[in-house]
Amino acid sequence: MIQTPEFSAISDAPRSTDQSLLDALAADLRAAEFGHDAISALLGPEANAALHRDQLVPALLVLRGAYAAPRPAALAVQLGLWMLGREFDADALDAAFPVLRIAGLVELGLIEQSDSGNWRASVDLRPHASDADAELWVASDPGAHQRTGVLRHDHVLGIGQASLTLAQITVRPQVERALDLGTGCGIQLFHLLAHARTAVATDISERALAFTRFNLLLNHAALGLDPADLGARVQLRLGSLLEPVAGEEFDLVVSNPPFVITPRRSGESTADQYTYRDGGLPGDRLVAELIAGIPSVLRPGGVAQMLANWEIGAKPDIDAQDTDEQEIPAWQLGPRSWLDPATEAWFIQRETATPSEYAETWLRDSSESRDPEAYAEHYEQYLDDFASRSVAAVGFGMVWLRRPENSEIRPLSWRFEEIGYPIEQPVGQYLAAAVAAADLLAASDLGSEHLLVAEDVTEERHQRPGAEHPGVILLRQGAGLRRTELLSTELAGFVSACDGDLSVDQLVGALDSLLGDGDPDFVDRLHDGVSRLVTRGFLLQMRNKR
């Protein structure tokens, strides 16, 4: 008896038992040019932009004439079916999918018959640009804007802003083995396969792993996979958090975990939780456990990157002998309490929300506002839950972790930043450069380095009319995290002289003789400022200068 491959035939999910049908679908999508460029040209800039905001009406208005025609173009039908919630008769689908035909769409579990007798999509399918050379097509569950009613609790999320953000911040060295923890429909996995020889993808949902398998095999050519031997490069595993990979080690771990803080209710079951966002633990405990546990699955030198929420205003258990809580911003207290002292960490808080703002965001996300009574009940539960832990706000941001190769040397140590303004994505390459700079400083003598000002850096000077000297000197980054540094007069002088000719010690010595005025802390203070500008990417090291 031939066994069905794991996750290839899960109820209410696309099926991936027959590769010839998947290849036929890919051929039809390719023939219709179902991709970003063709869709944008078909809709025009305004309707296309609205579609990216999940607003369907402008696109439907643009295509109204096309759908009224006896035989709409294949691209219009495919766009309407997969992304606009349109229904079509059998003839229109057979014409738009001449290789797969309607029978193949049914066999793959991609369409279903509506009460009207026409056919509608049972999945959302859309193009996605990955690190592969070609666009991919990614299937997920239809969103709230495409279907009426509250989302199903085992909803498989598609290409959302959080998943795009994680893909853009991920550092991408060539690695032997990578892990996508909580893969969903597989977005992060697709990016990993461009620079990891093998990858493991885990999820607590069988439906999610079924979508991931379908997407992998649909896009096997672009991803460089052998559909007859998928396991040679990718393993799909069912389980919660780190359980499926306990005892293993990876070079790179990425995760967009179910970090949403949701009030726990007496008697609730897993079926009552939205698996794509709700980890089933009180408060931010899921994130806490994950951050504490991830170093155990990292190889020495291995890195993990993830998105997370954390509660602000709670009272974590921190030994007052080790850190003075009064001097630490409130949002850092929780994350600091989760970290192993041997782990390097970089937290960047991007935004915060009050308890009521947070409740509204996630009630709206699951379309619970469509049921007024349930909405009011669950809103109250959110506020009561936050009040029970004295939570004043919830933070959202990026997390970078590393297990040092040498436990005695932690170049980055713990770094915490708040960056609430727009940054230039993708920043993965910038983060990699910042970490490399910290590593280099830890391994070399800063004083012997020759430095250059980064190409994207500009200087601003502000002074009162008639003043002899500027009162404020600012250094700004035009790329990456777009930081701004307030400079002292001596640090501004140092930056102005960074043309790579003189070493750091030579420049500091010259400035000390000009501006030090006998200050015993002048040199150390200047060295600290220079080190900060190097690790933050304002100044770059010239490794070939001696």
Side-chain angles (χ1 to χ4, degrees):
M1 175 186 249
I2 298 176
Q3 291 188 330
T4 301
E6 199 168 14
F7 311 118
S8 65
I10 302 299
S11 178
D12 291 332
R15 290 184 282 277
S16 54
T17 54
D18 188 335
Q19 185 61 43
S20 66
L21 293 179
L22 288 161
D23 290 341
L25 173 60
D28 285 334
L29 295 172
R30 196 176 300 112
E33 298 184 342
F34 186 69
H36 283 295
D37 290 345
I39 290 172
S40 178
L42 178 65
L43 295 180
E46 185 173 358
N48 188 57
L51 183 58
H52 284 283
R53 300 192 302 271
D54 294 336
Q55 298 298 319
L56 308 184
V57 174
L60 289 169
L61 291 176
V62 169
L63 297 176
R64 183 167 47 187
Y67 293 139
R71 185 170 176 174
L75 178 59
V77 173
Q78 292 184 10
L79 177 60
L81 178 71
W82 302 129
M83 298 174 64
L84 301 180
R86 283 271 310 190
E87 296 182 6
F88 295 93
D89 60 29
D91 289 341
L93 291 181
D94 275 341
F97 297 90
V99 181
L100 183 62
R101 311 284 289 182
I102 192 170
L105 290 167
V106 172
E107 180 63 25
L108 289 174
L110 302 180
I111 61 172
E112 59 193 17
Q113 206 156 20
S114 69
D115 293 339
S116 68
N118 286 326
W119 296 87
R120 67 180 184 180
S122 54
V123 304
D124 175 291
L125 185 71
R126 62 184 61 210
H128 173 64
S130 78
D131 296 285
D133 290 335
E135 276 188 326
L136 308 179
W137 300 294
V138 179
S140 62
D141 273 328
H145 60 292
Q146 296 161 306
R147 289 290 179 89
T148 59
V150 176
L151 294 182
R152 57 188 296 160
H153 285 268
D154 58 356
H155 178 83
V156 177
L157 194 65
I159 305 168
Q161 188 55 53
S163 59
L164 293 175
T165 296
L166 180 57
Q168 291 169 324
I169 69 171
T170 299
V171 176
R172 301 203 178 277
Q174 293 295 318
V175 297
E176 179 70 18
R177 199 159 185 252
L179 169 64
D180 179 8
L181 186 68
T183 190
C185 67
I187 299 297
Q188 307 309 320
L189 176 61
F190 308 147
H191 289 273
L192 288 175
L193 287 171
H195 62 105
R197 194 182 73 80
T198 63
V200 175
T202 70
D203 207 285
I204 199 171
S205 164
E206 283 189 319
R207 290 189 72 246
L209 293 172
F211 272 97
T212 297
R213 188 177 196 276
F214 176 90
N215 289 330
L216 288 170
L217 293 176
L218 176 62
N219 298 285
H220 70 86
L223 294 172
L225 301 174
D226 179 357
D229 190 14
L230 187 62
R233 291 199 63 204
V234 181
Q235 294 182 28
L236 304 180
R237 300 185 191 174
L238 182 68
S240 177
L241 298 180
L242 296 170
E243 291 173 1
V245 294
E248 301 180 49
E249 292 183 345
F250 299 86
D251 303 293
L252 176 62
V253 176
V254 297
S255 184
N256 183 15
F259 57 69
V260 176
I261 299 168
T262 308
R264 307 270 60 88
R265 298 191 291 273
S266 176
E268 73 175 352
S269 67
T270 303
D272 297 320
Q273 300 162 4
Y274 290 99
T275 55
Y276 73 93
R277 72 180 203 190
D278 181 5
L281 296 178
D284 52 18
R285 293 317 304 165
L286 181 136
V287 170
E289 291 185 10
L290 199 52
I291 287 175
I294 277 181
S296 70
V297 300
L298 290 176
R299 290 174 175 166
V303 168
Q305 290 187 259
M306 59 185 287
L307 303 179
N309 276 172
W310 40 79
E311 295 184 337
I312 302 172
K315 302 289 192 263
D317 183 18
I318 296 181
D319 189 343
Q321 294 180 345
D322 294 334
T323 182
D324 183 0
E325 294 185 21
Q326 301 302 317
E327 297 180 1
I328 297 174
W331 75 269
Q332 298 181 19
L333 295 177
R336 285 177 179 272
S337 72
W338 307 334
L339 290 167
D340 185 311
T343 302
E344 293 177 88
W346 188 357
F347 282 73
I348 300 177
Q349 179 166 273
R350 295 287 290 130
E351 58 185 88
T352 62
T354 65
S356 59
E357 290 171 337
Y358 195 82
E360 291 161 15
T361 294
W362 295 109
L363 289 171
R364 185 168 55 248
D365 173 79
S366 55
S367 301
E368 293 184 65
S369 57
R370 294 173 179 175
D371 183 341
E373 291 186 8
Y375 179 84
E377 178 186 355
H378 293 162
Y379 199 138
E380 182 179 1
Q381 290 171 351
Y382 267 100
L383 298 187
D384 288 345
D385 182 58
F386 283 131
S388 72
R389 293 186 299 278
S390 302
V391 175
V394 178
F396 169 82
M398 317 170 188
V399 181
W400 177 94
L401 304 171
R402 182 168 64 178
R403 178 184 173 187
E405 294 191 49
N406 183 336
S407 60
E408 301 300 318
I409 301 176
R410 295 164 54 227
L412 209 65
S413 189
W414 292 356
R415 181 183 293 181
F416 292 85
E417 295 185 69
E418 283 188 83
I419 300 179
Y421 49 81
I423 62 177
E424 184 182 84
Q425 292 281 23
V427 296
Q429 185 176 2
Y430 170 83
L431 299 181
V435 172
D439 290 346
L440 193 57
L441 284 177
S444 65
D445 174 23
L446 176 62
S448 64
E449 296 292 335
H450 294 249
L451 305 178
L452 292 172
V453 180
E455 289 291 331
D456 64 311
V457 171
T458 57
E459 182 185 271
E460 294 180 15
R461 294 180 178 241
H462 302 265
Q463 64 189 76
R464 299 280 300 171
E468 185 177 356
H469 302 290
V472 176
I473 306 174
L474 301 174
L475 213 57
R476 295 190 186 276
Q477 289 174 325
L481 294 178
R482 291 178 171 169
R483 293 187 183 97
T484 297
E485 284 282 335
L486 178 63
L487 302 186
S488 62
T489 301
E490 58 267 23
L491 191 54
F494 182 95
V495 172
S496 298
C498 281
D499 58 5
D501 186 31
L502 300 178
S503 70
V504 170
D505 278 346
Q506 288 173 319
L507 288 175
V508 169
L511 288 167
D512 185 26
S513 65
L514 289 172
L515 305 172
D517 197 26
D519 182 353
D521 298 324
F522 181 90
V523 171
D524 288 342
R525 190 167 60 247
L526 189 51
H527 265 285
D528 288 344
V530 173
S531 178
R532 186 175 67 254
L533 293 181
V534 170
T535 58
R536 294 191 170 192
F538 289 89
L539 298 177
L540 305 179
Q541 293 145 302
M542 295 179 61
R543 299 308 300 153
N544 60 345
K545 184 77 175 181
R546 287 292 180 267

